[in-house]
C-alpha cells in the first residue's frame, strides 16, 4: 500500500438536540461515533451505507466544514482537527469536495469562469491574465467547451454542472477529493460517463478519492478499498476484491446481496433486514446492528464489538469473529 495520506482516529461528531424557549440541550444526535480509518495516497476508498448513517457528516468533518466533537484527523502529519481557521485555510487547497447536488452546489449568480476561479483567487494563485486560460483548460479536460465559461449554471444540464463541479475541485491541484454521492443525482447514462471521468483524472493527476455512495455496484467499479458504515460506526473495511468475495459483517452481507447481478441465470439469495434503522439520537446498546441482525447472540445486546483485523487489510466489527 502507498503512503498514508489521511488518518482518522477516534473521530466523533455529535449534534445537540435543543428544546424549549431557552433552547437547552436535551440530547445528542450521534452522527459519527468514534470511527477509525486511513486513506492512502493514490487510492479510492469507497464509503457505503444507508442514508443517515453518517457518511456525509464524516466527509464534512474531515474537511472541517463541520467541527469535530473530538478525535484526530491527521493530514500530511498534522492534526488538522485542532488547527485554527487561519492555519486550516492553507490545507484547504489540498482538500476538495464534489457535492451530491449539481444544482444547489453552484452559485446561480456567478458565471462559470468565476465559480472555477474562485479558489485560485482565494489562495492568490495565478494572476488575472492567466486564470481564464487555466479555467479554459479545466473545462476542456472535463468535457465542456471553454467558450462556455461566460455562461451561468442554469444554462447547463445536471451532468454538465457536475463536470463544472469537478473542474472547480481540480483547479487547486488537490491531493484528495471527497466525492459525496457525486453521481447519485445523475441519470444512469450520464453516471457512467462521470465515473469514467473520475478514473481518468485520477491517473492523470495522481488523485486520491474518498468516494461516498450507497450504490455498491458503483463502489465495486471505482474503489480500491471499501468501508461500510452503519449508524455512525465503521463495521467493515477491506480491499475491494476481498470484500466482495468474502463479506463478513451481517449488515455488509445484506448490502452486497441487494446488488443486481448481470446474469439472468444467476439468482443471488437476498438478505432482507427486518425493522428500521434506529435513531442516532438513541442508538441501541452493545452492537448497534443487533435489533436487525439475523445472527444476533447474547453478547451483542450489551457489549460493543471493536474493529478487528481478521486477515491482512480486512477489518470487521462483529462478535462472530
Amino acid at each position: 500500500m502507498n503512503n498514508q495520506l489521511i488518518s482518522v482516529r477516534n473521530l466523533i461528531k455529535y449534534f445537540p438536540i435543543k428544546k424549549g424557549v431557552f433552547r437547552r440541550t436535551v440530547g445528542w444526535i450521534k452522527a459519527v461515533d468514534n470511527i477509525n480509518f486511513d486513506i492512502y495516497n493514490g487510492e479510492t476508498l469507497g464509503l457505503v451505507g444507508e442514508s443517515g448513517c453518517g457518511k456525509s457528516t464524516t466527509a464534512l468533518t474531515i474537511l472541517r466544514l463541520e467541527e469535530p466533537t473530538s478525535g484526530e484527523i491527521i493530514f500530511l502529519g498534522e492534526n488538522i482537527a485542532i488547527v485554527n481557521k487561519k492555519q486550516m485555510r492553507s490545507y484547504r487547497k489540498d482538500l476538495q469536495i464534489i457535492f451530491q447536488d449539481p444544482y444547489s452546489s453552484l452559485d446561480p449568480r456567478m458565471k462559470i469562469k468565476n465559480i472555477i476561479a474562485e479558489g485560485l483567487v482565494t489562495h492568490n494563485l495565478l494572476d488575472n491574465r492567466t486564470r481564464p486560460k487555466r479555467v479554459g483548460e479545466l473545462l476542456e479536460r472535463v468535457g465542456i467547451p471553454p467558450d462556455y465559461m461566460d455562461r451561468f449554471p442554469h444554462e447547463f444540464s445536471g451532468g454538465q454542472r457536475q463536470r463544472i463541479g469537478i473542474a472547480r475541485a481540480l483547479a487547486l491541484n488537490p491531493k484528495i477529493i471527497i466525492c459525496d454521492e457525486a453521481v447519485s443525482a445523475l441519470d444512469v447514462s450520464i453516471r457512467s460517463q462521470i465515473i469514467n471521468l473520475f478514473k481518468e483524472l485520477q491517473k492523470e493527476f495522481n488523485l486520491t478519492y474518498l468516494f461516498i455512495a450507497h450504490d455498491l455496484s458503483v463502489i465495486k467499479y471505482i474503489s480500491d478499498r471499501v468501508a461500510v458504515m452503519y449508524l455512525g460506526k465503521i463495521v467493515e473495511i477491506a480491499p475491494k476484491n476481498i470484500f466482495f468475495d468474502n463479506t463478513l459483517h451481517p449488515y455488509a452481507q445484506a448490502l452486497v446481496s441487494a446488488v443486481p447481478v448481470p446474469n439472468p441465470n444467476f439468482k443471488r439469495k437476498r438478505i432482507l433486514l427486518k425493522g428500521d434503522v434506529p435513531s442516532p439520537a438513541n442508538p441501541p446498546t452493545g452492537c448497534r446492528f443487533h435489533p436487525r441482525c439475523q445472527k444476533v447472540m447474547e453478547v451483542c445486546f450489551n457489549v460493543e464489538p471493536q474493529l478487528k483485523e481478521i486477515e491482512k487489510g480486512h477489518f470487521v466489527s462483529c462478535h462472530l469473529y
Side-chain angles (χ1 to χ4, degrees), residues 106-279:
L106 303 178
D107 189 332
R109 298 164 299 180
M110 293 175 69
K111 290 183 177 180
I112 297 308
K113 64 181 180 184
N114 297 326
I115 289 173
I116 295 173
E118 191 173 16
L120 299 171
V121 174
T122 301
H123 292 279
N124 200 25
L125 299 173
L126 307 180
D127 55 34
N128 291 332
R129 288 174 299 172
T130 52
R131 279 177 197 143
K133 185 185 175 189
R134 171 72 171 154
V135 170
E137 289 170 351
L138 288 166
L139 283 173
E140 193 166 24
R141 183 59 197 85
V142 298
I144 292 180
D147 53 359
Y148 285 13
M149 70 171 70
D150 280 314
R151 297 187 180 187
F152 289 91
H154 72 268
E155 299 178 72
F156 295 89
S157 68
Q160 287 175 318
R161 291 188 201 202
Q162 201 61 299
R163 289 174 188 270
I164 292 163
I166 294 168
R168 176 175 60 183
L170 286 173
L172 296 171
N173 291 319
K175 288 186 168 56
I176 182 168
I177 296 179
I178 295 177
C179 306
D180 185 10
E181 303 267 15
V183 296
S184 64
L186 305 176
D187 292 340
V188 175
S189 57
I190 305 297
R191 193 178 299 177
S192 59
Q193 295 174 19
I194 298 297
I195 292 168
N196 286 329
L197 177 61
F198 278 126
K199 291 190 77 122
E200 291 167 15
L201 293 171
Q202 184 170 36
K203 287 181 183 174
E204 190 174 329
F205 296 101
N206 189 30
L207 293 170
T208 303
Y209 294 137
L210 172 60
F211 200 94
I212 297 169
H214 54 256
D215 187 340
L216 267 173
S217 56
V218 170
I219 290 293
K220 187 175 184 178
Y221 179 69
I222 199 169
S223 299
D224 298 302
R225 289 189 304 136
V226 181
V228 180
M229 204 165 179
Y230 182 78
L231 208 61
K233 295 277 190 182
I234 299 280
V235 296
E236 188 164 358
I237 304 178
K240 173 177 67 177
N241 294 336
I242 293 175
F243 176 80
F244 284 98
D245 290 344
N246 184 29
T247 315
L248 294 179
H249 196 280
Y251 173 65
Q253 288 172 348
L255 291 182
V256 171
S257 78
V259 178
V261 178
N263 181 351
N265 299 316
F266 179 82
K267 294 221 182 231
R268 176 182 275 157
K269 187 182 177 185
R270 181 77 192 274
I271 301 171
L272 297 174
L273 298 177
K274 58 187 179 182
D276 297 321
V277 180
S279 168

Side-chain angles (χ1 to χ4, degrees), residues 2-15:
N2 295 327
N3 295 333
Q4 201 177 76
L5 188 62
I6 287 184
S7 181
V8 173
R9 291 289 170 264
N10 307 314
L11 185 64
I12 292 175
K13 177 59 185 175
Y14 291 173
F15 294 97

